[in-house]
Amino acid sequence: MLARRPLAAAATVMTAALLALTALSGCAAASAASNAATAAASTSPTAEHVVVIGDSIESGLGLEPAEAWPALLASSHGWRLDNLSEPGAGFVAPGPDGDNFSAQVDRAIALKPQLVFIGASDNDLDSDGAQVAAAMQQAVQRLSAALPGTRLVGYNALSGAAGDDELSGVNTSLQQAVLAAGGTWLDLGQPYRGQAGLVQDDGEHPTLPGQQAIAATVAAKLEL
């Protein structure tokens, strides 16, 4: 995500769920071991195929790719993961290559996964709210129509800098689109925002423990 967002207040971490990932923490801390675990999950032909549409939080900006929360969950649950996330991108906001989430949706449809995660993004906060809502609806409808047997899981924007009031518009718009398409909505709160040791020096992106906190929250909400 972009560093332009203002600093926000703290949110609590789901401690019990985070403790469940303690074993995973040691694995992710060592880059080689973590990369090997993720590769093993991603090459199993019988593993559940999971795709993630997202921004720099999901891509693990500032960390190794295997330390981002989607990779942590893939490693611990044996998923075959395609993390399509791109820093700076949103439903309207373009990433460095000029693409927004629409390009990720195209790739997700082509991959035909069993599960798609798609989250709101505070990269869209500078865009017109009606335009963002329309782009969200179009993206979710495309996924639903093209992948009728795929489970769609949407969730609120994760941010270390933007406040809840700022994010409420994009969160509500995506929630409505996902639920209308028969998908699952997760209110993850802000598992790392304002927590000592969980936010990088930029005030926006999670550290490895912050990514672990997100992974624990997702796992708890989905009862993985």
Side-chain angles (χ1 to χ4, degrees):
M1 294 186 180
L2 302 181
R4 62 175 179 265
R5 306 158 195 163
L7 293 176
T12 58
V13 176
M14 299 186 67
T15 305
L18 180 55
L19 290 175
L21 289 182
T22 300
L24 177 62
S25 170
C27 175
S31 175
S34 188
N35 284 329
T38 303
S42 66
T43 56
S44 172
T46 59
E48 183 174 16
H49 188 188
V50 177
V51 164
V52 177
I53 295 170
D55 55 28
S56 59
I57 304 300
E58 286 70 35
S59 71
L61 187 67
L63 304 172
E64 294 295 325
E67 295 174 336
W69 70 261
L72 297 177
L73 286 179
S75 178
S76 61
H77 292 85
W79 293 343
R80 185 159 53 96
L81 176 68
D82 280 294
N83 189 350
L84 309 180
S85 306
E86 181 182 0
F91 286 91
V92 173
D97 63 359
D99 290 333
N100 56 30
F101 282 5
S102 180
Q104 296 182 40
V105 169
D106 289 340
R107 293 178 63 194
I109 290 171
L111 289 167
K112 296 180 170 58
Q114 281 116 4
L115 171 62
V116 174
F117 283 101
I118 185 168
S121 174
D122 60 0
N123 291 323
D124 285 322
L125 292 181
D126 289 340
S127 301
D128 177 74
Q131 184 182 5
V132 172
M136 287 175 167
Q137 185 175 36
Q138 182 182 47
V140 170
Q141 288 178 343
R142 287 176 59 210
L143 288 167
S144 179
L147 303 170
T150 296
R151 184 180 183 188
L152 180 64
V153 176
Y155 55 92
N156 59 283
L158 297 168
S159 176
D164 292 341
D165 289 343
E166 295 175 271
L167 298 171
S168 63
V170 293
N171 290 339
T172 299
S173 293
L174 184 59
Q175 179 182 19
Q176 292 173 345
V178 168
L179 293 179
T184 299
W185 178 257
L186 303 182
D187 183 357
L188 303 178
Q190 298 296 336
Y192 73 96
R193 187 176 68 193
Q195 301 294 320
L198 302 192
V199 188
Q200 295 182 39
D201 290 342
D202 64 4
E204 166 63 2
H205 296 93
T207 59
L208 174 55
Q211 291 282 0
Q212 291 167 346
I214 299 170
T217 304
V218 174
K221 293 287 186 176
L222 279 180
E223 299 182 350
L224 295 176

